[in-house]
Amino acid sequence: MFVRINTGAISGIEAVEVTAEVNVSQGGIGLYIVGLPDNTIKESQERIAAAFENSGYKIQTKKTIVNLAPADLRKEGSQYDLAIAIGILVAQEQIHSSMLEDSLFIGELSLNGTLRPVKGVLPLVDSARNRGLKRVFMPEENVAEGAIVDGIEVVPVATLVELCEILLGHREYRVAESVLPAKEEEGDTEFMEDFADVKGQHFVKRALEIAAAGGHNIIMIGPPGSGKTMLARRMPSILPPMSLEEALETTKIHSVAGKIGAHKGLISQRPFRAPHHLASQVALIGGGQSPQPGEVSLANNGVLFLDEMPEFGRSVLEVLRQPLEDRKIAISRAKYSVEYPANFMLIASMNPCPCGYYTHPTKECSCSAASVHRYMAHISGPLMDRIDMHIEVVPVLLSEISSSERGESSSEIRKRVIKARNIQQERFKGLNIHCNAMMNSAMLRRFAPLDKDSRALLDMAMSHLNLSARAYDRIIKLARTIADIEGKECIEPTHISEAIGYRSLDRENLGR
């Protein structure tokens, strides 16, 4: 007997239609799985055999061939266990059901017949809905994630026996309710870390507010203990709430990477990723033998924080150049080619020299000029050029540290950020970009024209600071964001002047 069971594979962060074709015949003995399966799928026949035995079923002594079609697409992962098991039971006429054609099956089988959670449930359910299927059977632990998708029944199943009883009509199934979080308002989210706890550093706070308002990349350079890490970790508290589209995209990436966890649904807060400086190129950018999203993709629609940036390998840092420019990462290997979103905001911190005290107002630096230059050279000019804002962080004065006065809260800063972002959303309506940092050259000419005085000021800065053409555009983007925060329609010379100030630590001035 021949039967088809609907399932799916993951390519990048999207799902691909896969059908488990099962044929049982008299011409031999054994179970054979074909269709470019990896070792995890090949081992599934042992899991399925044990699950059948412990669930009261058995694999008949007939030749059973399972083909995961299309046969030229490499299949990886354990989510095919359930589809293969149901296909075998139906093909061997141990069960029958009219629900097979409009259902999708995903889940890993334990040896005792219970279902274990799998990765990539959200894109698989979304794909099933687009294919016109009516329902998806999945492990209970994945239901909160799968129920995000409207327009399709998500059915939680605990064991193989329970699923078979549902298919035979001996048990009614429960459909999980689709629960999306309510739209987040300006003051709804509470964060453990607040800018109100930061003493002093008004200049840096202003820079971070501008970075958040326009989605700009920023690097903070200062001695140890000046507050760089503390400031960076408070960045999520002033970022605007994610739109539903951004939340779904972010959740898909974390779903494919297996980072959501059981019983968790839509990711509604912007991610903040802070990889260790020993992270490899693959860990940062993604890929590997079984392709997985890297840190740049896990930080999509959020923040990627590189603490002590020069401590990362130079080759590791250089792979950031392309995603910083294109906001996506395409990974090509001999056996696969995938693309992941990488629309993140980069925040980096570093010391000004190996000992850390090159710019300290009171402590003496023990480094030679050559060692300072070598230290700064860990970050290449092209990479530094892609960072919009270079901010010098100085140690906080004792009088500010001992003061009991609290600074401006994150919620107050966030209101201004949201207001500026709303202006940008209206400006870029229909252009598929969300903030000023995403503008290209054509958009700059359209949305950020300069008057005569502003252009003269910028031309003078370009000449004196020896900035690149990319820095020229980034200064205009910064000025556009500063004008948005102030509610100004046009860019003024004061906005250009402030934006130039945030490039004062540009490549030509470092290490001198």
Side-chain angles (χ1 to χ4, degrees), residues 231-259:
L231 287 159
R233 291 194 175 278
R234 281 159 173 75
M235 194 65 172
S237 67
I238 65 172
L239 289 173
M242 282 200 290
S243 65
L244 180 59
E245 180 185 4
E246 289 176 320
L248 286 170
E249 184 181 56
T250 301
T251 306
K252 273 188 178 182
I253 296 169
H254 286 250
S255 172
V256 169
K259 303 291 185 182

Side-chain angles (χ1 to χ4, degrees), residues 129-300:
R129 179 190 61 181
N130 296 336
R131 289 162 61 178
L133 302 180
K134 291 183 178 180
R135 69 191 67 84
V136 180
F137 293 99
M138 66 176 63
E140 289 183 329
E141 290 88 343
N142 289 130
V143 166
E145 180 185 339
I148 294 171
V149 182
D150 280 330
I152 190 168
E153 295 179 349
V154 173
V155 183
V157 180
T159 65
L160 180 62
V161 171
E162 179 185 344
L163 177 56
C164 290
E165 289 178 351
I166 291 172
L167 294 176
L168 289 168
H170 299 163
R171 180 194 292 239
E172 291 188 1
Y173 61 85
R174 173 177 61 89
V175 178
E177 293 184 9
S178 178
V179 180
L180 289 177
K183 181 175 173 58
E184 184 185 339
E185 301 298 333
E186 291 182 9
D188 284 350
T189 306
E190 292 185 2
F191 294 89
M192 295 293 293
E193 298 171 317
D194 196 289
F195 271 99
D197 301 323
V198 179
K199 306 291 186 180
Q201 302 294 10
H202 303 294
F203 173 74
V204 186
K205 289 180 185 177
R206 166 70 173 173
L208 290 174
E209 178 183 338
I210 295 169
H216 302 288
N217 304 318
I218 183 171
I219 184 169
M220 295 178 285
I221 305 177
S226 56
K228 303 184 295 295
T229 303
M230 179 178 65
L231 287 159
R233 291 194 175 278
R234 281 159 173 75
M235 194 65 172
S237 67
I238 65 172
L239 289 173
M242 282 200 290
S243 65
L244 180 59
E245 180 185 4
E246 289 176 320
L248 286 170
E249 184 181 56
T250 301
T251 306
K252 273 188 178 182
I253 296 169
H254 286 250
S255 172
V256 169
K259 303 291 185 182
I260 292 183
H263 309 292
K264 292 184 179 179
L266 190 71
I267 295 175
S268 57
Q269 291 189 7
R270 295 188 181 274
F272 182 90
R273 305 292 300 184
H276 191 268
H277 62 259
L278 293 179
S280 66
Q281 288 186 22
V282 172
L284 197 63
I285 215 72
Q289 186 173 358
S290 298
Q292 289 285 303
E295 292 290 339
V296 297
S297 297
L298 293 172
N300 187 62

Side-chain angles (χ1 to χ4, degrees), residues 161-452:
V161 171
E162 179 185 344
L163 177 56
C164 290
E165 289 178 351
I166 291 172
L167 294 176
L168 289 168
H170 299 163
R171 180 194 292 239
E172 291 188 1
Y173 61 85
R174 173 177 61 89
V175 178
E177 293 184 9
S178 178
V179 180
L180 289 177
K183 181 175 173 58
E184 184 185 339
E185 301 298 333
E186 291 182 9
D188 284 350
T189 306
E190 292 185 2
F191 294 89
M192 295 293 293
E193 298 171 317
D194 196 289
F195 271 99
D197 301 323
V198 179
K199 306 291 186 180
Q201 302 294 10
H202 303 294
F203 173 74
V204 186
K205 289 180 185 177
R206 166 70 173 173
L208 290 174
E209 178 183 338
I210 295 169
H216 302 288
N217 304 318
I218 183 171
I219 184 169
M220 295 178 285
I221 305 177
S226 56
K228 303 184 295 295
T229 303
M230 179 178 65
L231 287 159
R233 291 194 175 278
R234 281 159 173 75
M235 194 65 172
S237 67
I238 65 172
L239 289 173
M242 282 200 290
S243 65
L244 180 59
E245 180 185 4
E246 289 176 320
L248 286 170
E249 184 181 56
T250 301
T251 306
K252 273 188 178 182
I253 296 169
H254 286 250
S255 172
V256 169
K259 303 291 185 182
I260 292 183
H263 309 292
K264 292 184 179 179
L266 190 71
I267 295 175
S268 57
Q269 291 189 7
R270 295 188 181 274
F272 182 90
R273 305 292 300 184
H276 191 268
H277 62 259
L278 293 179
S280 66
Q281 288 186 22
V282 172
L284 197 63
I285 215 72
Q289 186 173 358
S290 298
Q292 289 285 303
E295 292 290 339
V296 297
S297 297
L298 293 172
N300 187 62
N301 294 318
V303 174
L304 177 68
F305 176 46
L306 301 184
D307 199 5
E308 299 302 334
M309 195 177 186
E311 298 301 324
F312 287 79
R314 178 159 180 153
S315 60
V316 174
L317 292 177
E318 289 305 298
V319 299
L320 289 173
R321 287 161 58 174
Q322 186 252 340
L324 281 173
E325 201 74 25
D326 299 339
R327 300 189 180 272
K328 62 183 178 181
I329 180 69
I331 302 170
S332 298
R333 299 289 185 270
K335 295 182 179 180
Y336 65 83
S337 179
V338 296
E339 184 175 288
Y340 296 115
N343 183 21
F344 60 93
M345 194 174 102
L346 176 65
I347 300 181
S349 71
M350 62 181 292
N351 293 328
C353 67
C355 78
Y357 298 109
Y358 181 67
T359 59
H360 200 282
T362 58
K363 295 186 179 181
E364 186 176 351
C365 173
S366 60
C367 304
S368 65
S371 64
V372 174
H373 180 76
R374 282 195 302 271
Y375 183 77
M376 290 297 183
H378 277 85
I379 306 175
S380 69
L383 178 58
M384 186 67 81
D385 211 29
R386 286 168 168 80
I387 301 177
D388 303 345
M389 308 174 74
H390 311 158
I391 307 301
E392 185 174 5
V393 184
V394 297
V396 182
L397 298 175
L398 178 59
S399 59
E400 293 178 318
I401 295 175
S402 59
S403 172
S404 59
E405 183 179 351
R406 286 172 61 84
E408 188 177 23
S409 68
S410 292
S411 61
E412 292 300 314
I413 301 173
R414 195 184 197 210
K415 289 177 182 177
R416 296 195 296 269
V417 170
I418 291 174
K419 185 178 179 181
R421 282 289 183 106
N422 288 340
I423 293 172
Q424 294 166 52
Q425 291 285 350
E426 187 65 27
R427 175 186 298 136
F428 303 131
K429 187 176 292 184
L431 295 177
N432 197 32
I433 67 171
H434 311 294
C435 57
N436 289 332
M438 299 175 70
M439 286 192 290
N440 57 30
S441 297
M443 293 176 186
L444 276 178
R445 291 192 297 270
R446 178 181 173 186
F447 299 117
L450 301 182
D451 59 26
K452 183 178 179 181

Side-chain angles (χ1 to χ4, degrees), residues 109-125:
L109 279 174
S110 295
L111 299 185
N112 62 356
T114 59
L115 266 64
R116 297 173 58 85
V118 294
K119 300 186 292 186
V121 166
L122 179 56
L124 287 168
V125 176

